[in-house]
Amino acid sequence: MANSISKDIPIIAEAKTEVVTSEYSYTERDIILYNLGIGATETQLQWTYEGDEQFSALPTFGVIPQFSASSSLSLDWLPNFNPAKLLHGEQYLSIKAPIPTSGDLINSARFLEILDKDNAAAVTTVVETRDKHSGKLIFENQSTVFIRGSGGFGGKRTGDDRGPASASNVPPARAPDAIFEEKTHPSQAALYRLNGDINPLHILPEFAAIGGFEKPILHGLCSMGIAGKHVLQTFGPFQDIKVRFTGVVYPGETLVTEMWKVKSKVIFSEFRPSHRCR
């Protein structure tokens, strides 16, 4: 995958040379915590009881091990950087191998693409997650965040084609093939943040207010996990998943996932009944 450093202004080219590595060790307990965090219940023993013969991680667990690495890449070089103005815009997860229910992993993170949107910066990181002992690639994540107020630095405005990671995935103009509805819990963000995303935006009302929200919002990766769970329950296992966040969800709200099967791909749209947020 081309990094296109030569096309970037010096400050961006320099930022792309930074590589952050981190280790992530986990047990069956962490798998259960993640599964519960995206709505698995006590009756779904394959996701909540380590002694079940079918015990496994829900596929979107792949966004968890990489988080410490991707969040450690410094953004302080951006103009007017304010973490309270950071919003998660897109996430792409590719599952490269069966997910172990415990293990030792190592992550390698770097900036992939940094775009100047005038009134914001769009920053995409890529993280490869491998088994620490065998070196086997388990996950690849590409994450795009938007930092409001940090644009205008003279960088590129248009990104490169990154294949499935940048595909638009427009739903077809017909009724969905399946619809799944789930009510989130008022404490869902408080539970989900125990997976490692401890951004105060999801727990502190005063921090959420700085970002312009009426109260703490649900993690975008939590709503992604819920949608991924719906796809899995409806159409079975998948090898990759890409989402674009265009709205916010407050803990306790209901989420509806509409799904369309298009050849070998499932296109989905997840929204609050009162406000769609693909």
Side-chain angles (χ1 to χ4, degrees):
M1 183 177 297
N3 208 6
S4 302
I5 291 180
S6 62
K7 299 179 182 179
D8 291 309
I9 61 174
I11 190 174
I12 303 303
E14 182 178 355
K16 285 185 174 182
T17 65
E18 181 183 9
V19 177
V20 171
T21 60
S22 70
E23 295 187 8
Y24 181 85
S25 296
Y26 66 103
T27 67
E28 293 169 336
R29 177 183 179 276
D30 299 293
I31 294 295
I32 294 171
L33 180 62
Y34 175 76
N35 292 348
L36 289 170
I38 61 171
T41 70
E42 75 283 356
T43 64
Q44 296 169 317
L45 297 182
Q46 74 274 28
W47 297 326
T48 56
Y49 174 51
E50 68 281 0
D52 189 85
E53 291 184 357
Q54 302 299 317
F55 178 68
S56 63
L58 282 158
T60 49
F61 173 75
V63 304
I64 298 300
Q66 59 88 36
F67 191 79
S68 62
S70 61
S71 61
S72 295
L73 286 166
S74 174
L75 293 171
D76 291 341
W77 50 269
L78 282 170
N80 304 313
F81 174 66
N82 182 344
K85 298 296 182 69
L86 185 152
L87 288 176
H88 198 165
E90 296 184 354
Q91 186 77 25
Y92 172 75
L93 166 67
S94 178
I95 303 165
K96 303 294 189 180
I99 305 174
T101 53
S102 63
D104 301 307
L105 306 176
I106 187 162
N107 303 289
S108 177
R110 60 182 173 84
F111 291 119
L112 181 63
E113 190 170 73
I114 301 164
L115 303 178
D116 186 345
K117 298 296 185 179
D118 288 339
N119 60 350
V123 180
T124 300
T125 61
V126 59
V127 184
E128 291 187 342
T129 301
R130 298 178 181 273
D131 181 274
K132 180 181 177 181
H133 307 291
S134 70
K136 186 176 184 179
L137 182 62
I138 309 296
F139 305 116
E140 179 190 309
N141 277 271
Q142 294 185 32
S143 177
T144 300
V145 297
F146 292 91
I147 303 96
R148 292 171 292 167
S150 290
F153 51 85
K156 292 193 303 181
R157 296 179 55 84
T158 304
D160 297 328
D161 183 353
R162 293 181 280 116
S166 58
S168 59
N169 296 318
V170 178
R174 58 177 172 83
D177 298 312
I179 301 175
F180 213 113
E181 182 174 319
E182 181 171 340
K183 181 175 173 57
T184 64
H185 192 275
S187 297
Q188 196 127 22
L191 175 61
Y192 185 86
R193 68 188 302 271
L194 298 180
N195 291 296
D197 185 350
I198 57 174
N199 187 337
L201 179 65
H202 306 293
I203 194 72
L204 289 180
E206 56 268 32
F207 196 89
I210 295 173
F213 304 109
E214 61 186 63
K215 57 183 177 180
I217 64 175
L218 191 63
H219 305 68
L221 291 179
C222 182
S223 60
M224 170 185 174
I226 292 170
K229 175 161 59 75
H230 294 168
V231 173
L232 175 70
Q233 290 173 293
T234 306
F235 292 102
F238 51 84
Q239 294 182 325
D240 64 351
I241 179 172
K242 187 251 180 172
V243 297
R244 175 179 296 169
F245 306 107
T246 61
V248 298
V249 176
Y250 293 103
E253 292 186 315
T254 295
L255 288 174
V256 177
T257 305
E258 295 180 338
M259 294 164 271
W260 294 261
K261 186 70 179 295
V262 181
K263 297 182 179 179
S264 62
K265 178 186 289 189
V266 175
I267 297 176
F268 64 91
S269 176
E270 183 182 63
F271 60 93
R272 298 181 287 169
S274 60
H275 179 76
R276 287 177 177 264
C277 52
R278 270 185 63 217

